[in-house]
Amino acid sequence: MRIGVIGTGRIGTIHANTLSRHREVGSLILTDAEPARAQELAHRLGETAAPGMDEIFRWGVDAVVITTATSAHAELIGRAARSGLPVFCEKPIALDLPGTLQALAEVETAGTVLQMGFQRRFDVGYAGARDAVRSGRLGRLHTVRATTCDQSPPPPEWLPLSGGLFRDTLIHDFDVLRWVTGREVVEVYATGSDAGPAMFREAGDVDTGAAVLTLDDGTLATATASRLNGAGYDVRMELAGESDTVVVGLDDRTPVASTEPSGPPPADKPWTGFLERFGPAYEAELCAFVEVVRGERPNPCDGREALHALRIAEACEASRREHRPVRLTEIPDRLRPGG
């Protein structure tokens, strides 16, 4: 199997390393907007570098992995679909609904595979929480609390391109909330604060956000996020039911300190970022993609799953702007006629 990797930045490098070691992948073709970066990685891995994206499609590959800047995702997904190629793409498909829906329409018309990179679905802790909910261990689920907090903020120049805190960061919580509980979000109420560094206000973004989400069975969920969590990278989910409560992300590296005299000690080596925290999950999702391409398993996270998570993020942004609850029925899930 020959796979083209488009984008060799931080996450693209990780994916290329995973694929280069995979026993079912014969070779990779790597390309990047900065050709020297792709050439250096190709040399290190013993793979081939292409001078541009066109060569990925001209030279012939069996599948494509897209880890470029978000602005290029939708166009590349469409191009791969028209070429009949299965695609793995880092989230999101696009930063807006029209772009997302158009790319999905191309995939559906072509009948090709699009697997999205929501790596938390491959994390052992989240899988355990899903099993606890689905097995009935928790009884009736009544409350879910999710949080994602970055230790330090991203570069200022990246913020205007990110789509904002709800679309860029909390979208992972929205996706895994649906995956773990098996329920749909029907209404959100969200707010945010830009009281931190000025770069967030200048980008029209917030550095801290919170949302209350109502699920279709009446379960209440909260999702909070911050770009400025000095203690470390903190990603957790608590699920409370009438019979039991479980927590994802609580271990000896969780960056929290107890004020109780008999509480656990602070983490010696708190998590510093998502690549460290979710390293095994990133590897597992790429291995799953190889199995999908080989016809050995169904797609574990198709483009429609990404659309559902984006619609929740869009509802949260509307709620934040307009200071009101937003029903998910207000957010389109298909192209308008002629769109």
Side-chain angles (χ1 to χ4, degrees):
M1 182 186 301
R2 192 184 205 190
I3 296 180
V5 179
I6 305 177
T8 56
R10 194 166 48 165
I11 193 65
T13 296
I14 287 175
H15 289 339
N17 272 278
T18 296
L19 293 168
S20 186
R21 298 192 308 267
H22 199 290
R23 65 181 183 277
E24 300 294 349
V25 177
S27 62
L28 303 178
I29 302 176
L30 312 177
T31 191
D32 193 271
E34 298 179 18
R37 185 162 64 178
Q39 290 167 3
E40 189 278 330
L41 180 60
H43 177 74
R44 179 150 49 88
L45 296 179
E47 304 290 356
T48 301
M53 296 180 191
D54 290 345
E55 283 75 13
I56 292 285
F57 297 95
R58 282 210 307 265
W59 291 358
V61 293
D62 300 298
V64 173
V65 171
I66 299 171
T67 61
T68 61
T70 297
S71 58
H73 286 186
E75 179 184 353
L76 288 170
I77 289 170
R79 184 170 184 180
R82 293 189 297 274
S83 300
L85 293 172
V87 172
F88 176 93
C89 184
E90 280 300 322
K91 66 85 187 166
I93 294 173
L95 288 177
D96 59 8
L97 278 169
T100 298
L101 292 167
Q102 183 60 51
L104 287 177
E106 292 214 56
V107 170
E108 291 170 4
T109 297
T112 52
V113 168
L114 170 60
Q115 180 182 327
M116 295 304 300
F118 282 105
Q119 86 283 352
R120 294 188 195 182
R121 293 178 176 228
F122 297 86
D123 178 73
V124 172
Y126 283 104
R130 176 183 165 99
D131 289 344
V133 172
R134 305 302 178 89
S135 69
R137 169 184 164 185
L138 306 185
R140 183 186 69 85
L141 187 66
H142 56 75
T143 306
V144 182
R145 306 177 190 93
T147 190
T148 295
C149 296
D150 293 325
Q151 184 175 27
S152 55
E157 63 272 13
W158 181 82
L159 283 174
L161 309 175
S162 71
L165 188 67
F166 292 99
R167 297 188 191 93
D168 176 59
T169 298
L170 278 170
I171 197 166
H172 282 287
D173 297 271
F174 301 150
D175 173 70
V176 85
L177 173 65
R178 296 181 58 251
W179 186 74
V180 167
T181 65
R183 313 304 308 192
E184 297 295 343
V185 174
V186 295
E187 185 178 83
V188 309
Y189 189 88
T191 189
S193 170
D194 61 3
M199 64 181 185
F200 293 98
R201 293 185 291 280
E202 292 166 358
D205 197 5
V206 294
D207 57 74
T208 304
V212 177
L213 308 104
T214 302
L215 307 189
D216 57 12
D217 64 347
T219 300
L220 295 181
T222 60
T224 60
S226 176
R227 300 283 199 188
L228 301 156
N229 197 60
Y233 180 70
D234 190 7
V235 173
R236 280 174 285 137
M237 173 182 271
E238 301 174 14
L239 299 106
E242 292 182 348
S243 300
D244 201 358
T245 298
V246 294
V247 182
V248 180
L250 184 61
D251 58 22
D252 60 1
R253 300 194 66 181
T254 305
V256 297
S258 174
T259 60
E260 300 296 335
S262 60
D268 287 335
K269 295 181 179 180
W271 298 110
T272 58
F274 61 91
L275 294 178
E276 182 185 31
R277 165 66 177 85
F278 291 109
Y282 281 116
E283 183 167 347
E285 69 178 357
L286 262 292
C287 291
F289 178 61
V290 172
E291 292 174 356
V292 170
V293 174
R294 287 173 54 83
E296 297 171 351
R297 66 175 293 173
N299 189 345
C301 187
D302 65 23
R304 285 281 159 186
E305 299 294 291
L307 172 62
H308 292 315
L310 178 61
R311 291 178 65 240
I312 298 169
E314 291 285 337
C316 287
E317 276 292 348
S319 177
R320 181 180 74 87
R321 289 193 311 269
E322 300 169 19
H323 304 286
R324 67 177 180 89
V326 174
R327 301 284 296 180
L328 264 292
T329 52
E330 300 178 47
I331 310 300
D333 63 355
R334 53 182 52 84
L335 288 171
R336 305 293 189 191

